[in-house]
Amino acid sequence: MKFSLTHSFAYPIDVVWAMFHNPDSHVAKFARMGHTDIEVVESKVTATSLDLTLQRKVEMDVPSIAKKFLSPVNTVTSTDHWADRGDGTYGGRFTVDIKGVPAESAGTTDLRPTGDQSCDYTVSLELKVKVPLVGEKIAGALKGQLQAQVEQEFDATEAWLTDTAGKKKKK
């Protein structure tokens, strides 16, 4: 199962990139989303990139078809790579591992300007549930919840920008 969602920010791309380039913004995002026991496993920041691995507990509504494979509280590890592409755009890739769940989740991020004071952020995600016969049904049952989670991430990043970068917004 694959999907993409795009969010528009009313901030210059350099302000939004500074947020995504900051490990603290990622921790704050997940905390705002209600994730608990958030731990930075690895963090490497350079002038042009961020490699970040976070582990956390995530509560979710488990569809009946998936109750055999998922629990309501799961340990999730995400590994993100963000980079300045050198052409005025930014982005990267990520993987998400849910401990003890027979699934693979990976995707890409893309941040590009849409004007002097705005930019679009696109998240593309692919989920594969490795359960014979019902894997695709389980993935399909989870699609709405995953899309809602990405929307929550958009809201949490907007909140970070409002709280910390709003004063940097070009007047």
XYZ file of all heavy atoms in Angstrom, residues 27-72:
355
model
N 11.694 15.346 18.088
C 11.290 14.863 19.411
C 10.017 15.589 19.851
O 9.055 14.965 20.310
C 12.436 15.055 20.434
C 11.954 14.736 21.849
C 13.638 14.185 20.065
N 9.991 16.899 19.693
C 8.819 17.693 20.082
C 7.585 17.293 19.275
O 6.474 17.237 19.813
C 9.116 19.184 19.903
N 7.775 17.004 17.996
C 6.657 16.594 17.143
C 6.003 15.337 17.697
O 4.779 15.280 17.857
C 7.172 16.354 15.715
C 6.200 15.658 14.791
C 6.806 15.412 13.415
C 7.929 14.399 13.480
N 8.526 14.104 12.167
N 6.813 14.324 17.991
C 6.242 13.071 18.476
C 5.641 13.230 19.871
O 4.614 12.617 20.174
C 7.274 11.946 18.415
C 7.615 11.551 17.009
C 8.927 11.561 16.572
C 6.627 11.187 16.108
C 9.244 11.203 15.263
C 6.934 10.833 14.804
C 8.245 10.841 14.373
N 6.244 14.048 20.706
C 5.671 14.301 22.033
C 4.303 14.972 21.889
O 3.341 14.602 22.569
C 6.613 15.165 22.865
N 4.205 15.935 20.987
C 2.943 16.637 20.758
C 1.875 15.683 20.229
O 0.699 15.866 20.484
C 3.156 17.779 19.777
C 1.935 18.704 19.651
C 2.189 19.750 18.638
N 2.291 21.120 18.841
C 2.188 21.919 19.881
N 1.981 21.462 21.003
N 2.292 23.188 19.842
N 2.304 14.652 19.516
C 1.365 13.666 18.960
C 0.937 12.628 20.003
O 0.140 11.750 19.717
C 2.008 12.959 17.761
C 2.218 13.872 16.573
S 3.203 13.087 15.269
C 2.159 11.715 14.814
N 1.490 12.722 21.229
C 1.103 11.804 22.293
C 1.973 10.566 22.412
O 1.682 9.669 23.204
N 3.054 10.492 21.640
C 3.973 9.371 21.769
C 4.720 9.524 23.092
O 4.940 10.636 23.566
C 4.951 9.326 20.601
C 4.269 9.177 19.276
N 4.972 8.981 18.113
C 2.967 9.196 18.902
C 4.133 8.877 17.086
N 2.911 9.025 17.544
N 5.097 8.406 23.692
C 5.751 8.442 24.997
C 7.090 7.711 24.944
O 7.403 7.038 23.960
C 4.859 7.802 26.069
O 4.579 6.447 25.697
C 3.552 8.577 26.233
N 7.848 7.832 26.016
C 9.154 7.173 26.141
C 10.028 7.436 24.914
O 10.687 6.535 24.398
C 8.996 5.661 26.363
C 8.208 5.326 27.622
O 8.208 6.158 28.548
O 7.596 4.252 27.680
N 10.049 8.672 24.467
C 10.805 9.045 23.268
C 12.291 9.081 23.612
O 12.706 9.735 24.559
C 10.348 10.407 22.724
C 8.842 10.369 22.414
C 11.160 10.802 21.494
C 8.222 11.737 22.175
N 13.055 8.347 22.814
C 14.496 8.262 23.037
C 15.228 8.510 21.718
O 14.902 7.916 20.695
C 14.855 6.870 23.549
C 16.327 6.635 23.723
C 16.656 5.178 24.048
O 15.741 4.416 24.410
O 17.832 4.810 23.911
N 16.224 9.396 21.770
C 17.087 9.607 20.614
C 18.133 8.499 20.651
O 18.968 8.453 21.548
C 17.751 10.995 20.639
C 18.726 11.143 19.471
C 16.709 12.103 20.620
N 18.061 7.586 19.694
C 18.994 6.468 19.612
C 20.293 6.910 18.945
O 21.381 6.542 19.373
C 18.368 5.277 18.848
C 19.355 4.137 18.681
C 17.096 4.813 19.548
N 20.157 7.710 17.897
C 21.322 8.212 17.163
C 20.963 9.535 16.520
O 19.847 9.714 16.028
C 21.735 7.210 16.088
C 22.991 7.597 15.342
C 23.404 6.550 14.309
O 22.797 5.471 14.246
O 24.348 6.833 13.565
N 21.900 10.454 16.531
C 21.695 11.762 15.910
C 23.022 12.252 15.352
O 24.012 12.321 16.072
C 21.166 12.755 16.946
O 21.033 14.036 16.382
N 23.014 12.557 14.068
C 24.215 13.110 13.429
C 23.765 14.287 12.571
O 23.007 14.118 11.616
C 24.907 12.056 12.565
C 26.163 12.589 11.894
C 26.818 11.552 11.014
C 28.023 12.151 10.305
N 28.500 11.273 9.254
N 24.253 15.463 12.937
C 23.907 16.683 12.225
C 25.164 17.233 11.569
O 26.192 17.382 12.225
C 23.319 17.743 13.187
C 22.944 19.005 12.426
C 22.113 17.203 13.943
N 25.074 17.501 10.267
C 26.146 18.200 9.559
C 25.558 19.492 9.021
O 24.365 19.758 9.191
C 26.720 17.360 8.399
O 25.744 17.307 7.347
C 27.106 15.961 8.855
N 26.348 20.281 8.347
C 25.858 21.535 7.781
C 24.761 21.302 6.747
O 23.905 22.164 6.527
C 27.008 22.318 7.156
N 24.772 20.134 6.101
C 23.815 19.897 5.009
C 22.918 18.677 5.207
O 22.159 18.327 4.304
C 24.561 19.718 3.679
O 25.460 18.605 3.800
C 25.308 20.989 3.289
N 23.005 18.015 6.381
C 22.169 16.820 6.544
C 21.852 16.534 8.007
O 22.479 17.082 8.922
C 22.860 15.594 5.932
O 24.010 15.256 6.679
N 20.881 15.663 8.182
C 20.505 15.158 9.494
C 20.209 13.675 9.350
O 19.433 13.279 8.470
C 19.251 15.868 10.022
C 18.590 15.233 11.256
C 19.487 15.359 12.477
C 17.227 15.847 11.520
N 20.853 12.871 10.187
C 20.524 11.457 10.311
C 20.050 11.273 11.744
O 20.774 11.607 12.693
C 21.743 10.582 10.021
C 22.082 10.592 8.545
O 21.295 10.036 7.761
O 23.115 11.182 8.174
N 18.828 10.753 11.895
C 18.210 10.689 13.212
C 17.446 9.385 13.366
O 16.630 9.031 12.515
C 17.251 11.874 13.383
C 16.522 12.002 14.706
C 17.506 12.298 15.838
C 15.475 13.110 14.605
N 17.725 8.677 14.463
C 16.974 7.481 14.812
C 16.313 7.719 16.159
O 16.999 8.055 17.131
C 17.880 6.240 14.870
O 18.506 6.074 13.592
C 17.088 4.990 15.204
N 14.994 7.582 16.195
C 14.207 7.773 17.411
C 13.425 6.506 17.722
O 12.898 5.855 16.813
C 13.202 8.915 17.242
C 13.752 10.317 17.071
C 12.635 11.287 16.739
C 14.466 10.761 18.330
N 13.311 6.201 19.012
C 12.467 5.088 19.448
C 11.419 5.662 20.390
O 11.716 6.562 21.183
C 13.301 4.030 20.157
C 12.529 2.766 20.459
C 13.453 1.697 21.016
O 13.973 1.849 22.111
N 13.651 0.644 20.252
N 10.186 5.139 20.306
C 9.106 5.660 21.124
C 7.982 4.653 21.242
O 7.918 3.690 20.476
C 8.587 6.969 20.534
C 8.065 6.797 19.116
C 8.072 8.112 18.361
N 7.545 7.976 17.019
C 8.231 7.599 15.968
N 9.513 7.305 16.082
N 7.674 7.503 14.773
N 7.092 4.897 22.182
C 5.874 4.093 22.340
C 4.743 4.851 21.655
O 4.585 6.062 21.840
C 5.520 3.902 23.808
C 6.567 3.170 24.610
C 6.327 1.705 24.567
C 7.250 1.032 25.572
N 7.904 -0.110 25.096
N 3.960 4.102 20.856
C 2.866 4.705 20.106
C 1.595 3.908 20.368
O 1.581 2.684 20.209
C 3.173 4.717 18.586
C 2.016 5.308 17.804
C 4.463 5.481 18.310
N 0.536 4.616 20.764
C -0.769 3.985 20.930
C -1.526 4.100 19.618
O -1.428 5.102 18.914
C -1.568 4.675 22.030
C -1.049 4.387 23.411
C -1.966 4.925 24.487
O -3.201 4.848 24.337
O -1.415 5.416 25.484
N -2.287 3.056 19.305
C -3.073 3.094 18.075
C -4.339 2.269 18.231
O -4.410 1.374 19.070
C -2.257 2.595 16.889
C -1.793 1.157 16.983
S -0.682 0.637 15.661
C -1.670 0.843 14.225
N -5.333 2.600 17.430
C -6.536 1.787 17.342
C -6.222 0.668 16.367
O -5.903 0.930 15.206
C -7.717 2.614 16.820
C -8.132 3.699 17.791
O -8.070 3.446 19.011
O -8.506 4.792 17.337
N -6.316 -0.552 16.830
C -5.963 -1.690 15.995
C -7.224 -2.231 15.332
O -8.165 -2.632 16.015
C -5.276 -2.799 16.826
C -4.915 -3.978 15.948
C -4.033 -2.248 17.515
N -7.264 -2.234 13.991
C -8.415 -2.807 13.297
C -8.551 -4.292 13.650
O -7.545 -4.980 13.876
C -8.091 -2.633 11.811
C -6.950 -1.686 11.748
C -6.253 -1.729 13.067
N -9.767 -4.792 13.676
C -9.999 -6.178 14.088
C -9.182 -7.172 13.266
O -8.673 -8.152 13.807
C -11.484 -6.521 14.033
O -11.976 -6.332 12.729
N -9.008 -6.918 11.974
C -8.255 -7.837 11.118
C -6.780 -7.910 11.527
O -6.094 -8.885 11.237
C -8.391 -7.454 9.621
C -7.852 -8.580 8.746
C -7.698 -6.145 9.326
C -8.179 -8.433 7.283
N -6.289 -6.882 12.249
C -4.868 -6.822 12.595
C -4.581 -7.149 14.058
O -3.421 -7.164 14.467
C -4.335 -5.433 12.265
N -5.605 -7.430 14.848
C -5.396 -7.645 16.290
C -4.466 -8.814 16.597
O -3.819 -8.831 17.634
C -6.733 -7.824 16.997
C -7.471 -6.513 17.085
C -8.684 -6.579 17.954
C -9.365 -5.239 17.867
N -9.900 -4.739 19.030
N -4.361 -9.752 15.707
C -3.469 -10.891 15.905
C -1.999 -10.494 15.738
O -1.112 -11.153 16.271
C -3.841 -11.976 14.884
C -3.279 -13.330 15.159
C -3.874 -14.316 14.166
C -3.389 -15.715 14.427
N -3.956 -16.679 13.500
N -1.756 -9.387 15.023
C -0.394 -8.993 14.674
C 0.062 -7.697 15.336
O 1.260 -7.431 15.395
C -0.269 -8.842 13.159
C -0.793 -10.029 12.419
C -2.040 -9.996 11.819
C -0.058 -11.202 12.353
C -2.531 -11.104 11.149
C -0.545 -12.312 11.698
C -1.790 -12.262 11.090
N -0.879 -6.862 15.789
C -0.551 -5.577 16.398
C -1.165 -5.482 17.788
O -2.252 -6.014 18.021
C -1.123 -4.421 15.565
C -0.548 -4.167 14.193
C -1.370 -3.108 13.465
C 0.887 -3.711 14.290
N -0.496 -4.771 18.666
C -1.079 -4.488 19.971
C -1.438 -3.002 20.011
O -0.971 -2.229 19.181
C -0.114 -4.877 21.081
O 1.042 -4.088 21.042
N -2.250 -2.592 20.987
C -2.650 -1.180 21.047
C -1.499 -0.220 21.364
O -1.573 0.950 21.048
C -3.696 -1.138 22.151
C -4.045 -2.542 22.455
C -2.953 -3.411 21.944
